[in-house]
Amino acid sequence: MTIARVVVDVALDREFDYSVPDALQPDMEVGCRVVVPFGRRVVEGYVVALVAQSDLPKLKPLKGVVADGPLLSPALVALARWMGEYYCAPFEKAVRTLMPGAVRRRGAKHREVLVVRSVSTMESMEGGIAKLSAKQQAVLNAVQAEPGIRLSELTGRLGMSAAPVRTLEKKGVLTIEREATRRDPFVGREVLRSGPLELMEEQRVALELIKCTLDQRKSEVGGPRSEGQASDLRKQHVVLLYGVTGSGKTEVYLQAIDHVVARGEGAIVLVPEIALTPQTVGRFRARFGDQIAVLHSHLSDGERHDEWHRIRRGLARIVVGARSAVFAPVSRLGLIVVDEEHEPSYKQEDAPRYHARDVAVMRGHLEGVPVVLGSATPSLESWMNVRKKKYLLATLLHRADHRQFPRVRVVDMRLKGPDDKQKFKVLSHDLMESIRDRVEKKEQTILFLNRRGFSTSLVCQKCGHVAVCDSCSVSLTYHRQDEHLHCHICGSQRKVPSCCPGCADPEFKYSGVGTQRVEHVVKACFPQASVQRMDRDVTRRKDSYERILGDFRVGKIDILIGTQMIAKGLHFPNVTLVGVVYADLSLHIPDFRAGERTFQLLAQVAGRAGRGDVAGEVIVQTFTPFQPAVQAARRVDFEGFADQEMAFREELSYPPFAHLVCIGLSGKHEEKTAFSAQTLATRLRPLLGERVIWGEATPAPLARAKGRYRFQIILRCKSVKAMTDPIRNALTGMEFPGDVRVSVDVDAVSLM
Ligand code: ADP
Ligand code: ZN
């Protein structure tokens, strides 16, 4: 007897066995979506295993199989099992994460249209062609000129109803058939095809190394496992491609994928959501055309559904997508690429709180597929794995585009005396002069404001009063446009007081440092220049992101002011100056990765400046000029930064020298939430082994958000299991009052 082990959509961390009726046997495979009796109800679920025996004596029979064929491969089911285990999440939640909602939902369908074709033999027509009316003749002519035309298009074009077409169908002249059409996210976007570039020496070496891991694997398929060299390489299925900005990493990915496709295999390329621009996707489409499918959050549900099925059927073998594309159902997968592997946005914020880079590495391991991680500023986690010889390393230190590295100047913004004119200044004298120079030369400038952290708050320079949101413990952000203070967490707003509520200083409203303030100052200083701000508020309107970048590219904008949005993956040939308004803002977030983030950000921004013939210039304004992250960024020195930062992390047993788990609790009542956190900590502590470093239950740095109080417990240990097993045990059977919610974040990347 075959028994299907099923996870159901109802959130229960268990699998259930059902007997498979004979009639359903032929369709039964791991990954199938099935209908099963569950208590008194009938629910849907996925088959996660087929077994011969069950622990239970009597099994209910499965009711039916939904959809054609399995939606999930056994390898993906195994990946979900690992994910649930490692990230401390229920298995069926992990299974659900494998598919986009648009695919999972009942009734998710292909869109069908009516398509008209003429029948080739005219003899089949009763009475011959002479009997056609003028309208019918027009229809026939149009269909013969364009076989497979949509019915709606045909009638629209001829300006008539569908009646004559139906008549012709009855006469046997035409066929009208339902056909599935693809909702194509690329409609109307043509790209010029491009061929492979001649590689530079470093790129060639990197590609050889990647090919080596690919071929290694091929020669092992089916063959006996040999010890020594071969199995070493097999273990090292991950290549870290550390290449400075503009060193041509993408070209290496493209040629590696080419190699894979030539063998009849597919590839997945992960790109941070924010960098998934038409420009980025265009580079892949230029090389591989229709073999590219995209998966990201800007697709409509229909597009996502269709792209997913195109991948599953093998119609598109190369997937370019954001975080969740790591689960794309590519059969015969040959390679996974994770670009900008250090990006924190690869971490999912709901359970299972997976890190797409780490899932990629695990999927590669499970499916025997090489993984390439690329970055100009690798995460210390990956760097550590290179040091421990778990990952192979390929390095690109020269720019492929022959641009020179920009000169980076650090400007000390500290007050030099009681009547220092720098006070409250947005632009230092140096930055001002440099901008003036560019404006005169008709070159472009980017001003970058790192807004992560609490940067745009109003702080009274006289009495220190800060405007804070009533329901979230963050400072409010000042928006000049509507003269309102906005909370970026809960969205509430209120009018700006005309003077400081603490001391009545009228300068109060100018004391914040947001993009709007910078825009205001720059416009006042350079009235002749065209200035555009780009941040989340401006780009909330659809398409404005692309429009602004388009305007900037063609030179309609002289000075672009923005947040991290403009720091990523964009190439503007005429930008010769980048100013970082306050480099320190990201250093002040209460997170041990603050230095790493600052370095990454500065290095990214610096990569934007300069073009072939003109060396770009980067001006970094800071209150902490000697901070290691700032200094390393000035020298574009990743390895120097990594050495220093690693020493600090090792000293304190922070990642990558230990794994870190952050247990978060939130609730409407401060005391109940605090008490829950303390109770959990008390229960957990005796279960933890000696190796686990544990912290007390404390208020989170963002102590209140959307009206909910937030507490956290942080654990560190070299072994994840040594933390997650006790956490599961402590949480089992533990009841929390009212609305208190608990989350477990393994390898947390944000400790806010
Ligand atoms: P990265 O991803 O490392 O920042 P890109 O792949 O975007 O770098 O390459 C930067 C620029 O250099 C691109 O315009 C690209 O077309 C060009 N480029 C890359 N490799 C080569 C090469 N081998 N020869 C000439 N140009 C190259
Ligand atoms: Zn708020």
Side-chain angles (χ1 to χ4, degrees), residues 147-166:
I149 189 172
R150 288 186 189 180
L151 179 61
S152 56
E153 171 143 13
L154 180 67
T155 53
R157 206 185 286 169
L158 298 176
M160 57 173 72
S161 73
V165 191
R166 296 275 179 205

Side-chain angles (χ1 to χ4, degrees), residues 197-200 203 244-251 283 400-401 571:
L197 299 172
E198 174 125 19
L199 294 184
M200 315 243 305
Q203 287 175 308
V244 298
T245 318
S247 59
K249 295 185 286 296
T250 309
E251 186 61 32
R283 286 177 76 180
D401 50 13
H571 287 285

Side-chain angles (χ1 to χ4, degrees), residues 705-719:
K706 296 181 184 164
R708 297 177 69 84
Y709 291 90
R710 305 171 74 248
F711 289 80
Q712 56 186 210
I713 303 167
I714 291 179
L715 309 177
R716 279 170 290 154
C717 184
K718 281 199 194 314
S719 150

